[in-house]
Amino acid sequence: LLAHMSRISPSFVELSFISFLCRRFSESSDKGWFRSLFVHKVDARKDAHSNLLSKKETSNLYKIQFHNVKPECLEAYNSLEAEVQNRLHQDQDYPCEVVGSWNTWYGEQDQAVHLWRYRGGYPALTECLKKLNNNKEYLEFQKERAKMLVSRRNQLLLEFSFWNEPLPRPGPSIYEMRTYNLKPGTMIEWGNHWARAIQYRQENNEAVGGFFSQIGDLYVVYHLWAYGSLQSREETRNSAWLKEGWDANVHYTGRRDANQPHIYNPKKINPKAKVICAS
């Protein structure tokens, strides 16, 4: 036997011995030290993304609407929409408010965007919808508005815990909404990076709000910024690149999304509705 072993190459003997050890340790226990070197342990998720990323101190739910309007109807649409928004604000029975209402300046043309806030979350939304479905004037408004639209879509959103809550601000301003379509499973990583990145974008009060989709198209993030002008936008964005750490966050998030920036002009609406819009 020894003579036979002497003719076998050392490498073959070593590999056979390692293979023997692998079989013994894998058969002995799933918790063996050898297996623990190669098995990646993933901690079980403790909560939903919406609970981990959204603000705990509020129960705000947001709805964003995108209305593509027939070009010849845009002026009439804006007037009709503003009138209905004003009536809803004057009626305290409706637990909703317009955070902002804009027309696209650069981006998809002849588009109106509305951002609504429901203080009280899903119960407030449900209550509002029930009342609107029984409101004959509102149902007539929907029919009239439908004649002016090419298409429309909406989403329900939650606000990131680390972003500013949309608050009243002086005007005039232009607004930029950046839309990010994330890869599934990267929302928590995105939130961790932007919780640091948002600190670099506070000096000029440009950060308006940050939201992520809850119902509708999923894994979508919206960042809303306000600037005094296009020149102010360029200067503010350039100044961020001078701060150490901003470039690293942009590099990381830039590899995980599709970025779609749009520039909006705010519409004039009821003073109560001028939460972030000033014109």
Side-chain angles (χ1 to χ4, degrees), residues 52-68:
L52 294 172
L53 293 170
S54 61
K55 294 183 178 179
K56 300 293 189 298
E57 64 274 14
T58 66
S59 57
N60 292 336
L61 179 69
Y62 292 82
K63 178 174 71 175
I64 190 168
Q65 297 174 306
F66 298 91
H67 291 172
N68 294 313

Side-chain angles (χ1 to χ4, degrees), residues 255-266:
R255 293 186 289 112
R256 284 164 170 75
D257 65 78
N259 184 1
Q260 304 169 17
H262 285 68
I263 302 294
Y264 297 100
N265 270 327

Side-chain angles (χ1 to χ4, degrees), residues 206-274:
E206 69 267 26
V208 177
F211 313 90
F212 61 96
S213 59
Q214 184 70 3
I215 295 180
D217 293 337
L218 297 179
Y219 309 108
V220 181
V221 169
Y222 296 99
H223 289 177
L224 188 60
W225 311 90
Y227 306 98
S229 63
L230 290 176
Q231 181 63 33
S232 172
R233 171 185 177 272
E234 181 180 12
E235 293 170 355
T236 300
R237 288 174 55 81
N238 287 341
S239 66
W241 287 98
L242 301 178
K243 301 171 184 176
E244 184 178 357
W246 171 252
D247 57 341
N249 282 283
V250 172
H251 172 73
Y252 176 84
T253 56
R255 293 186 289 112
R256 284 164 170 75
D257 65 78
N259 184 1
Q260 304 169 17
H262 285 68
I263 302 294
Y264 297 100
N265 270 327
K267 298 191 298 181
K268 292 183 178 180
I269 49 181
N270 183 281
K272 183 176 179 181
K274 286 186 179 180

Side-chain angles (χ1 to χ4, degrees), residues 19-267:
S19 177
F20 168 76
L21 285 178
C22 289
R23 288 197 300 272
R24 288 299 302 269
F25 278 112
S26 63
E27 291 169 0
S28 62
S29 173
D30 286 343
K31 296 181 179 180
W33 67 270
F34 187 85
R35 175 166 293 193
S36 68
L37 295 177
F38 298 93
V39 175
H40 177 63
K41 296 182 179 178
V42 180
D43 293 332
R45 281 177 50 183
K46 299 295 189 295
D47 210 342
H49 286 176
S50 58
N51 293 331
L52 294 172
L53 293 170
S54 61
K55 294 183 178 179
K56 300 293 189 298
E57 64 274 14
T58 66
S59 57
N60 292 336
L61 179 69
Y62 292 82
K63 178 174 71 175
I64 190 168
Q65 297 174 306
F66 298 91
H67 291 172
N68 294 313
V69 186
K70 296 177 182 177
E72 66 274 15
C73 299
L74 187 58
E75 184 175 351
Y77 167 89
N78 285 338
S79 298
L80 181 64
E81 187 73 35
E83 179 182 353
V84 173
Q85 290 176 359
N86 291 339
R87 290 185 181 181
L88 288 177
H89 280 295
Q90 293 169 5
D91 193 334
Q92 299 299 319
D93 289 337
Y94 292 92
C96 62
E97 57 185 333
V98 180
V99 177
S101 190
W102 304 272
N103 287 136
T104 305
W105 189 13
Y106 290 102
E108 192 167 354
Q109 296 296 287
D110 304 311
Q111 185 184 71
V113 179
H114 311 290
L115 184 63
W116 296 79
R117 175 163 49 208
Y118 298 87
R119 295 193 182 274
Y122 290 109
L125 172 66
T126 301
E127 178 187 353
C128 190
L129 291 178
K130 286 182 178 179
K131 291 180 177 179
L132 289 176
N133 287 333
N134 293 319
N135 186 323
K136 293 183 179 180
E137 290 187 3
Y138 185 79
L139 296 178
E140 288 298 320
F141 153 73
Q142 284 186 314
K143 293 180 181 178
E144 188 64 25
R145 185 186 64 183
K147 301 175 184 177
M148 306 177 184
L149 298 180
V150 177
S151 64
R152 61 192 177 99
R153 63 184 176 90
N154 59 21
Q155 287 175 291
L156 293 181
L157 315 173
L158 295 175
E159 55 185 331
F160 283 110
S161 60
F162 49 84
W163 262 83
N164 313 36
E165 181 176 353
L167 295 173
R169 59 177 58 232
S173 297
I174 61 171
Y175 291 82
E176 178 178 18
M177 181 178 292
R178 287 182 167 255
T179 305
Y180 302 89
N181 296 288
L182 305 189
K183 296 178 181 178
T186 63
M187 184 67 74
I188 295 295
E189 296 176 76
W190 175 276
N192 289 335
H193 278 267
W194 267 97
R196 296 187 293 271
I198 192 64
Q199 301 175 23
Y200 301 106
R201 299 295 306 273
Q202 299 287 350
E203 289 184 3
N204 294 325
N205 195 32
E206 69 267 26
V208 177
F211 313 90
F212 61 96
S213 59
Q214 184 70 3
I215 295 180
D217 293 337
L218 297 179
Y219 309 108
V220 181
V221 169
Y222 296 99
H223 289 177
L224 188 60
W225 311 90
Y227 306 98
S229 63
L230 290 176
Q231 181 63 33
S232 172
R233 171 185 177 272
E234 181 180 12
E235 293 170 355
T236 300
R237 288 174 55 81
N238 287 341
S239 66
W241 287 98
L242 301 178
K243 301 171 184 176
E244 184 178 357
W246 171 252
D247 57 341
N249 282 283
V250 172
H251 172 73
Y252 176 84
T253 56
R255 293 186 289 112
R256 284 164 170 75
D257 65 78
N259 184 1
Q260 304 169 17
H262 285 68
I263 302 294
Y264 297 100
N265 270 327
K267 298 191 298 181

